[in-house]
Amino acid sequence: MFKLNLKIAWRNLWKNKAYSVFNIFGLAVGLAGFIIILLYINREQGFDKWNPALNRTYMVAADFTQNGAENKGSKIKALFAKTIEAEFPSVEAISIGWLNGNANLRTETNGKVIKEKLSSVSMDDKFFAVYPLTAINGRMQDVFRDKNAIAISKTAALKMFGEENPINKVLIQNRGLNEKEQELVVKAVWDDKKQPSYFGFDVFYAADFSIYGGEFLSRTFSTMLTFRDGVDAESELSKMNDAYTIALAKFVANNSDVNFKPSKQQALAILKDKEGITSFKLIYEPVSDLNLGTFYSTQAKRTTINILLALASFLVIISCINYTNLSLVLAQKRAKEVGVKKVLGAQKINLLKQFFAETALQCIIAYLFALIIAELLVPKVNNLLDTQLSLFSSSNISLVLGQALLILLAVIAMAGAYPAFVLAGFRPVKVLKGNFNTAKHIGSLRKVLVVCQFTIAIALVISFMVMLAQLEFMRNKDLGLNKSQLMTLDIGNFAKRNLSPAAFQSIKDRLLAISGVDDLTRATEEPINDSGFNNDLSFAGKKLNVESRFVDVNYLKVIGGKVVEGRDFSTDLIATDSVQSILLNETAFAKLGLTSVNQQIGIDHGDDIKQFNVIGKVKDIQAYGFEHEVVPTVYLVADYQFHWRRNIILRLKPENIASTIEEIKKTWMEIEPGRDPIYSFADETFQKMNKAYETSNKVIFYFGSLTLIISLFGLIGFAAYSAEIRTREVALRRILGATTANLLNMLNKDFLWLVIIANIFADVLAYVYMNKWFAGFAYRIPMPFEMFFTANLSIIVITILTVSWQSLRAVNSNPASVLKAE
Amino acid sequence: MIKLQNIEKYYANKGVKSYILRHVSTEIKQGEFVSIMGPSGAGKSTLLNILGMLEEPTYGEYNFMGEDVTALKERQRIELYRNHIGFVFQAYHLIDEMTVAENIEAPLLYKKIPGSERKSRIADVLDRFNMVAKKDLFPNQLSGGQQQLVGIARALVAQPSIILADEPTGNLQSAQAEQIMELFKKLNEEDGITIIQVTHSEKNAQYGSRILTIEDGVIKEDISVNGL
Ligand SMILES: Nc1ncnc2c1ncn2[C@@H]1O[C@H](COP(=O)(O)OP(=O)(O)O)[C@@H](O)[C@H]1O
Ligand SMILES: [Mg+2]
């Protein structure tokens, strides 16, 4: 019976090829999307699961308010670890160090140099008690035995040494303050594929705290601890909070007397008194939670995952709806078969089994296609989301396939149930008597389904268009500087960072000698970044904390900033400009209530306030992207001694950029040998800032297109069938004198209404969602309602075209032959 | 075998009852070959459908082999079809997606007859109907008469005690019709299968042993036939 059912299922598929193709392809695309998102989610949730103590392992840091400013560091003083080790036996191990470092490493074998920028972790010797990575080669603990020992991940080892055994091989690194060359010997290898880590590091070496000497305890470090099994972490952590507050108070009071036991209250008072710390609390996060969203990151992955999951579910649901709808449409054709079978003795359950078998067959075919589609799309998705997903080559392939199989079962149940019950429920007598009425009009359930589908699809299309409009705005908005061909070159050598303009001149001349370099200047930071310095300005009794940019005289000229009032710094007046002139940006003007230039402004210098003359007003420069308001900023050309000009900013000529860059690198290697030049471009920095938005826009685009395509597939099948079962009616109307337009109008009407209703729902949905999205921007466009209109109109036109295309066959058929055949 | 008592059937439409069958009472014995005749719309098909338990009477009692059909659930009714009734339709109603052999096999599958026996029974029937060469064809590859032969083969293969046939030759040419009628007669006489057919043709009715004439839902005549 099963075999026969399968055979019949196959023949039915074949007979209704067109519908089957739409059904299966739609489902396959939906499933492929879902599988890819499963891959992504599995990956994102798969970190650190190998660690048996994972649920007992925490990262600890401090959150405190000092002198009115909140400090949300991700690190905490070494004092914390010392306190915990001494006072908390519930802690199995605690380890401190640096969890996110970089290491430029190279190998030189037989003259062949392999260079890699790897991410590194260096922690103290308790680290593997807290984070039990296991060596597949060598011993992890050996890295603590020797200052030059290093452990390396399997993947990184493969990059650096190929297939050779990496143990006792040498890696060369320029390390430390003066980038001295150091040879590191590989003592252990761990398998980063089998032990995927949230921290994602390639090499590990022992942390060296000796450089801090007596300062050690007051220095802050990444801190990770594991509780003993069975300990109530929450209450223990809150006890730690108090214990550390007291320890810190004793520390800042410089009183280590064992009899000095301040209460928490007293401790807080001491902290306030000595350090200006008005509030203090520990931040702790389970390591298992870090990847999905940490205290510190604004764009939590959990949100991304939820959004992706929602989109993928839409896709699958829409494909199921399609499937159900098309099956219902075809059900009319199957009525006779059901009737006959029942008369031959088929029970309802036999028929249910049969129809489920049919659904299952289609779903399995769709699933196989989905796997192929997913495999083909994975590289593209990796590109888009900046991930390293893999399907067939992934280590947890069976997990993914298993999950996908569950989805498949769910899909079979969802997509197959309704049509199966409808079909199996047909009463034979109605069918056999021949007065079984093939529904001329669309059943109400099907109407709801179509509206749902199109609502989701249209809402996604509108969202995409609105996002695109905002992105376009972001790409084209005047940022207050000219970001093209603006290169920032990092000065590596500390001695070269604090040169006066005169001392810098020789270096400047060498770079300017390169024909592709138009001009150059220096600043403490890149133009599009936090400058790293803040000052308090006072004017007319008002105080304002501003960002301070210490630059060279020609800074604004080089970066393309504009002085809208007053004057820029000038080389001729450098003697006065460097000691008493400042520029303020528009925001600072507004916040200080400054109405004109040439006013005296005080800058707080710790003990005294120095007066400066405001010589000009600078057009706001959007150094923080579009999410944040421009901060009030002061520009100074003063002080090279304490405000190191770490960056050279070069304006390049647009021609032959590549060769210009090469020449700059070459020249710079001559100036600072032994280190690869580090540089960046302003436009790329901006692009990176907007990358998350560009990415989500693309994701929405792909999902939107897919849902739309799948929905249209549904519509095509639906319209084709509706036209088919109305062929007779159409023929009759034609004989009665209806024109093609009349007939198309008649056939379109039902669908059009549905799509119009879906448009209205989608508009509301997209409006609400986009409003929320816009809330994240300080600089945004007004809600572009014309996008809504465009989307609505296009969808309606597409609907009419689709339905008409499918209806034309019925409309154009010869009425005489149709009626004769009946 | 069949006992109808005071069967009534009406459809209520907007409060108005339109009667299709009124006070139909009759008895059909095992081994009879009954032809139901009457003008179009008289209620013949309705009566046959009630006999075949495809429709329920509004009133009245229907006894099939001693069981009160009106009291049966759908499951149980289907059990009855499976075991006792074979249907033959004017429009053949073969399943388009199944081959000749598969169509014939279908009722056996639902009766859960083991594979080997199914094979031999199908081979038997195909042989008897001279359709061995056609067993892998689909219904649309057969002539009307051949399709109806398959329809009858399908009804017979489950070894029913009664065959209900609604205008089995209505769509056929007279030569083919004659062949079908001969077959019915043979089945009736040689295998003792009870046959109830609806027909418009006096000639076809003559193959049977008894003619029930229905007009406006009422049995007008009930005569026995003494062969040709
Ligand atoms: N579902 C129904 N609703 C209303 N009237 C029906 C229905 N089915 C059949 N009829 C009517 O019952 C009458 C008898 O039909 P039927 O038994 O098919 O006649 P025939 O003798 O031609 O086979 C006809 O007038 C038909 O219109
Ligand atoms: Mg009839």
Side-chain angles (χ1 to χ4, degrees):
Chain A
M1 173 105 79
F2 180 72
K3 223 174 95 194
L4 183 68
N5 277 344
L6 215 60
K7 247 197 283 183
I8 295 178
W10 179 251
R11 286 176 197 151
N12 256 312
L13 272 188
W14 194 245
K15 200 166 127 191
N16 301 303
K17 277 186 286 291
Y19 302 114
S20 307
V21 166
F22 285 128
N23 248 350
I24 291 173
F25 189 70
L27 209 53
V29 170
L31 277 172
F34 205 89
I35 290 172
I36 288 176
I37 285 176
L38 271 182
L39 286 177
Y40 179 74
I41 293 175
N42 279 336
R43 191 186 135 82
E44 292 304 327
Q45 299 199 315
F47 293 119
D48 300 320
K49 291 281 190 288
W50 48 268
N51 181 356
L54 182 62
N55 61 351
R56 299 184 265 132
T57 306
Y58 289 78
M59 293 284 298
V60 184
D63 180 20
F64 56 96
T65 309
Q66 187 168 26
N67 298 326
E70 192 185 7
N71 282 281
K72 262 195 205 179
S74 58
K75 297 180 176 169
I76 192 164
K77 285 185 171 36
L79 175 69
F80 175 76
K82 190 185 165 217
T83 308
I84 300 309
E85 274 185 333
E87 299 177 22
F88 283 81
S90 60
V91 171
E92 195 168 279
I94 183 164
S95 175
I96 64 171
W98 297 272
L99 279 169
N100 36 15
N102 283 313
N104 287 299
L105 293 170
R106 62 179 196 275
T107 53
E108 284 167 21
T109 32
N110 313 328
K112 205 180 126 223
V113 178
I114 300 172
K115 272 191 201 175
E116 287 288 342
K117 185 177 177 183
L118 300 175
S119 57
S120 66
V121 159
S122 53
M123 299 284 280
D124 63 21
D125 57 1
K126 321 285 190 348
F127 184 64
F128 297 113
V130 180
Y131 197 74
L133 274 181
T134 44
I136 51 169
N137 216 337
R139 285 180 43 208
M140 295 308 277
Q141 211 57 33
D142 282 355
V143 293
F144 299 110
R145 301 177 121 202
D146 183 343
K147 269 186 93 162
N148 295 326
I150 189 169
I152 187 167
S153 74
K154 195 177 165 193
T155 309
L158 205 65
K159 272 190 213 160
M160 304 302 292
F161 306 111
E163 298 291 343
E164 286 175 61
N165 180 1
I167 297 295
N168 291 328
K169 287 251 159 40
V170 171
L171 287 165
I172 303 158
Q173 181 184 26
N174 294 9
R175 194 176 171 193
L177 267 181
N178 33 19
E179 316 245 329
K180 218 178 69 195
E181 200 165 277
Q182 188 184 357
E183 292 197 345
L184 298 164
V185 183
V186 175
K187 286 295 174 194
V189 182
W190 77 91
D191 189 338
D192 53 330
K193 287 263 156 51
K194 290 228 170 73
Q195 298 189 318
S197 167
Y198 161 73
F199 304 101
F201 53 108
D202 307 300
V203 292
F204 178 91
Y205 38 75
D208 176 13
F209 302 118
S210 62
I211 53 168
Y212 298 116
E215 296 254 287
F216 173 60
L217 286 180
S218 65
R219 290 297 171 142
T220 61
F221 299 98
S222 298
T223 302
M224 200 193 284
L225 62 84
T226 301
F227 286 105
R228 288 186 199 286
D229 214 354
V231 170
D232 175 11
E234 285 293 322
S235 79
E236 235 19 51
L237 282 159
S238 103
K239 276 187 224 153
M240 281 181 189
N241 196 6
D242 297 348
Y244 180 58
T245 311
I246 290 162
L248 192 61
K250 286 176 76 169
F251 185 74
V252 301
N254 213 350
N255 187 340
S256 54
D257 188 346
V258 278
N259 297 317
F260 174 49
K261 284 179 184 156
S263 69
K264 190 181 175 194
Q265 241 46 42
Q266 288 166 323
L268 285 171
I270 294 170
L271 289 177
K272 186 172 175 188
D273 194 39
K274 297 265 177 190
E275 298 277 301
I277 295 175
T278 46
S279 83
F280 176 88
K281 76 169 197 287
L282 287 185
I283 304 168
Y284 43 87
E285 289 185 292
V287 170
S288 56
D289 282 2
L290 293 177
N291 190 46
L292 290 192
T294 81
F295 188 77
Y296 309 101
S297 67
T298 45
Q299 278 213 332
K301 276 207 180 119
R302 187 169 287 132
T303 326
T304 315
I305 286 185
N306 287 344
I307 290 173
L308 286 177
L309 200 60
L311 290 174
S313 310
F314 282 162
L315 213 54
V316 170
I317 290 170
I318 281 182
S319 327
C320 286
I321 289 179
N322 245 9
Y323 184 89
T324 304
N325 250 342
L326 287 176
S327 310
L328 284 178
V329 159
L330 288 178
Q332 315 279 346
K333 287 189 164 180
R334 307 289 298 275
K336 178 181 140 192
E337 177 188 336
V338 171
V340 173
K341 282 191 170 167
K342 280 198 166 177
V343 166
L344 296 179
Q347 295 284 13
K348 202 165 170 172
I349 184 77
N350 301 122
L351 295 168
L352 281 178
K353 273 194 215 152
Q354 179 197 338
F355 291 124
F356 270 112
E358 280 180 27
T359 307
L361 178 71
Q362 300 198 33
C363 288
I364 289 165
I365 296 174
Y367 180 67
L368 297 177
F369 277 118
L371 287 178
I372 296 171
I373 295 172
E375 176 75 9
L376 292 178
L377 285 183
V378 158
K380 285 208 162 49
V381 173
N382 280 338
N383 223 333
L384 181 68
L385 296 181
D386 199 13
T387 50
Q388 287 93 41
L389 305 178
S390 57
L391 177 57
F392 289 114
S393 50
S394 87
S395 56
N396 55 359
I397 171 87
S398 51
L399 175 70
V400 172
L401 290 186
Q403 286 171 336
L405 214 60
L406 280 182
I407 297 297
L408 182 69
L409 290 178
V411 167
I412 292 174
M414 272 199 299
Y418 187 72
F421 279 99
V422 166
L423 278 169
F426 282 148
R427 301 249 294 119
V429 63
K430 285 211 169 171
V431 181
L432 301 178
K433 270 168 110 179
N435 62 355
F436 182 78
N437 71 327
T438 33
K440 255 191 213 164
H441 295 284
I442 309 162
S444 54
L445 176 77
R446 269 176 278 164
K447 280 185 193 162
V448 173
L449 293 180
V450 168
V451 170
C452 282
Q453 256 185 337
F454 272 86
T455 301
I456 294 171
I458 299 166
L460 288 176
V461 169
I462 295 173
S463 303
F464 163 71
M465 289 169 71
V466 171
M467 284 175 154
L468 196 64
Q470 168 73 10
L471 284 174
E472 201 55 30
F473 162 77
M474 284 158 68
R475 284 182 206 121
N476 297 330
K477 182 170 184 289
D478 180 2
L479 302 168
L481 53 70
N482 176 3
K483 63 181 195 276
S484 354
Q485 294 104 36
L486 192 61
M487 180 182 187
T488 300
L489 180 65
D490 185 73
I491 304 176
N493 190 326
F494 287 37
K496 289 200 176 69
R497 287 179 171 178
N498 58 0
L499 299 177
S500 70
F504 180 66
Q505 193 62 42
S506 67
I507 295 176
K508 186 171 174 176
D509 288 342
R510 285 179 76 176
L511 289 169
L512 282 174
I514 298 165
S515 65
V517 176
D518 220 5
D519 202 353
L520 67 89
T521 185
R522 288 181 306 161
T524 50
E525 255 307 335
E526 297 176 54
I528 305 170
N529 198 357
D530 186 339
S531 75
F533 295 98
N534 280 69
N535 278 104
D536 283 328
L537 298 191
S538 48
F539 171 71
K542 238 185 238 170
K543 267 199 177 245
L544 179 69
N545 189 276
V546 298
E547 171 156 54
S548 325
R549 290 190 179 269
F550 289 84
V551 296
D552 279 359
V553 171
N554 61 343
Y555 178 74
L556 288 174
K557 190 172 138 262
V558 172
I559 69 164
K562 295 173 200 77
V563 177
V564 290
E565 206 184 316
R567 65 170 181 88
D568 196 352
F569 295 119
S570 149
T571 327
D572 299 336
L573 302 171
I574 190 69
T576 48
D577 275 356
S578 64
V579 289
Q580 61 182 37
S581 301
I582 55 171
L583 294 168
L584 290 178
N585 71 351
E586 292 168 323
T587 306
F589 262 75
K591 292 215 165 157
L592 283 171
L594 215 59
T595 47
S596 67
V597 297
N598 289 322
Q599 306 261 2
Q600 293 295 305
I601 294 257
I603 298 185
D604 216 331
H605 268 266
D607 307 328
D608 67 324
I609 291 180
K610 249 171 139 179
Q611 291 299 316
F612 284 83
N613 182 34
V614 180
I615 56 166
K617 180 172 170 184
V618 179
K619 190 173 162 39
D620 278 343
I621 294 174
Q622 246 172 276
Y624 292 94
F626 285 79
E627 296 161 17
H628 307 285
E629 302 265 0
V630 168
V631 294
T633 307
V634 59
Y635 295 87
L636 305 104
V637 285
D639 184 45
Y640 300 88
Q641 232 23 62
F642 298 103
H643 297 98
W644 292 356
R645 307 299 198 261
R646 286 183 43 228
N647 294 281
I648 301 174
I649 296 152
L650 306 101
R651 169 72 63 195
L652 309 185
K653 291 176 183 151
E655 305 83 28
N656 304 325
I657 287 278
S659 71
T660 304
I661 294 172
E662 276 318 304
E663 278 183 70
I664 291 172
K665 277 164 80 173
K666 211 177 107 215
T667 309
W668 197 252
M669 290 283 271
E670 289 163 18
I671 297 169
E672 288 194 339
R675 174 177 170 274
D676 276 343
I678 297 170
Y679 60 92
S680 65
F681 280 89
D683 45 3
E684 286 170 9
T685 310
F686 250 107
Q687 232 166 31
K688 263 185 224 152
M689 256 195 257
N690 296 339
K691 186 153 187 264
Y693 296 110
E694 303 269 358
T695 303
S696 53
N697 186 243
K698 277 185 199 145
V699 169
I700 297 271
F701 172 75
Y702 289 122
F703 277 100
S705 320
L706 284 182
T707 42
L708 192 63
I709 288 171
I710 296 173
S711 305
L712 284 176
F713 277 3
L715 191 65
I716 290 173
F718 208 167
Y721 186 74
S722 292
E724 191 179 319
I725 62 174
R726 292 177 80 169
T727 307
R728 193 179 133 85
E729 180 189 347
V730 166
L732 279 169
R733 284 178 189 263
R734 167 127 283 170
I735 285 172
L736 297 176
T739 63
T740 302
N742 294 146
L743 294 171
L744 284 182
N745 182 22
M746 176 189 92
L747 292 167
N748 263 302
K749 218 164 51 194
D750 283 344
F751 293 105
L752 209 53
W753 269 116
L754 297 183
V755 172
I756 286 172
I757 293 169
N759 266 303
I760 294 169
F761 285 151
D763 285 353
V764 175
L765 215 67
Y767 179 80
V768 171
Y769 175 55
M770 280 297 104
N771 241 348
K772 240 179 114 183
W773 186 73
F774 271 133
F777 288 98
Y779 300 93
R780 54 162 282 191
I781 50 172
M783 185 66 81
F785 287 107
E786 69 276 10
M787 296 296 172
F788 287 64
F789 181 73
T790 314
N792 291 344
L793 198 68
S794 341
I795 300 280
I796 288 173
V797 169
I798 292 172
T799 306
I800 294 177
L801 291 178
T802 309
V803 175
S804 301
W805 168 46
Q806 288 306 313
S807 308
L808 271 174
R809 197 153 26 116
V811 171
N812 287 339
S813 57
N814 177 357
S817 67
V818 170
L819 295 177
K820 214 162 93 194
E822 282 281 320
Chain B
M1 172 174 219
I2 286 175
K3 201 170 161 197
L4 296 178
Q5 230 169 358
N6 222 0
I7 293 287
E8 302 228 350
K9 175 85 184 172
Y10 64 76
Y11 289 102
N13 194 3
K14 290 175 189 147
V16 182
K17 294 176 186 173
S18 49
Y19 278 91
I20 317 287
L21 293 174
R22 304 207 76 155
H23 309 299
V24 173
S25 297
T26 188
E27 209 169 317
I28 294 167
K29 294 204 183 59
Q30 183 107 33
E32 278 192 286
F33 184 166
V34 183
S35 303
I36 302 173
M37 298 194 69
S40 200
K44 306 181 296 291
S45 295
T46 307
L47 179 59
L48 201 73
N49 284 339
I50 288 175
L51 287 172
M53 298 167 230
L54 296 176
E55 277 186 83
E56 284 172 42
T58 330
Y59 284 123
E61 247 177 62
Y62 173 19
N63 255 281
F64 184 85
M65 299 179 87
E67 284 204 72
D68 181 6
V69 172
T70 42
L72 295 180
K73 298 210 171 69
E74 180 175 340
R75 279 194 72 81
Q76 298 167 311
R77 243 178 276 147
I78 291 175
E79 282 300 322
L80 274 186
Y81 309 148
R82 278 186 182 174
N83 297 321
H84 300 289
I85 303 179
F87 289 92
V88 177
F89 307 97
Q90 174 177 4
Y92 328 129
H93 286 327
L94 300 179
I95 297 174
D96 301 330
E97 289 76 27
M98 293 186 181
T99 62
V100 166
E102 285 162 359
N103 261 291
I104 295 173
E105 188 180 15
L108 301 180
L109 287 170
Y110 298 124
K111 277 178 94 167
K112 300 217 162 54
I113 289 177
S116 53
E117 189 182 343
R118 286 205 307 266
K119 283 219 177 67
S120 73
R121 280 213 217 170
I122 295 164
D124 240 29
V125 178
L126 285 171
D127 194 35
R128 187 159 162 195
F129 285 54
N130 268 329
M131 307 219 26
V132 178
K134 308 231 159 31
K135 75 176 175 30
D136 290 325
L137 297 182
F138 285 92
N140 60 9
Q141 296 168 304
L142 300 177
S143 75
Q146 288 167 330
Q147 288 190 49
Q148 192 58 297
L149 279 179
V150 177
I152 295 168
R154 184 177 66 180
L156 277 178
V157 78
Q159 298 171 342
S161 34
I162 180 165
I163 286 182
L164 300 176
D166 195 349
E167 301 189 39
T169 59
N171 288 359
L172 299 181
Q173 289 171 1
S174 55
Q176 291 172 317
E178 233 167 84
Q179 190 192 354
I180 302 285
M181 282 303 120
E182 285 295 346
L183 182 62
F184 273 3
K185 195 173 163 65
K186 212 168 118 198
L187 289 171
N188 179 248
E189 285 170 359
E190 293 176 10
D191 302 319
I193 297 175
T194 312
I195 293 176
I196 306 176
Q197 69 163 346
V198 170
T199 181
H200 279 295
S201 141
E202 287 285 346
K203 195 173 157 213
N204 287 352
Q206 297 300 324
Y207 285 90
S209 56
R210 179 178 165 195
I211 299 176
L212 278 177
T213 310
I214 299 187
E215 265 172 50
D216 288 334
V218 178
I219 299 185
K220 269 275 143 70
E221 244 185 346
D222 185 352
I223 55 169
S224 53
V225 183
N226 301 315
L228 279 174

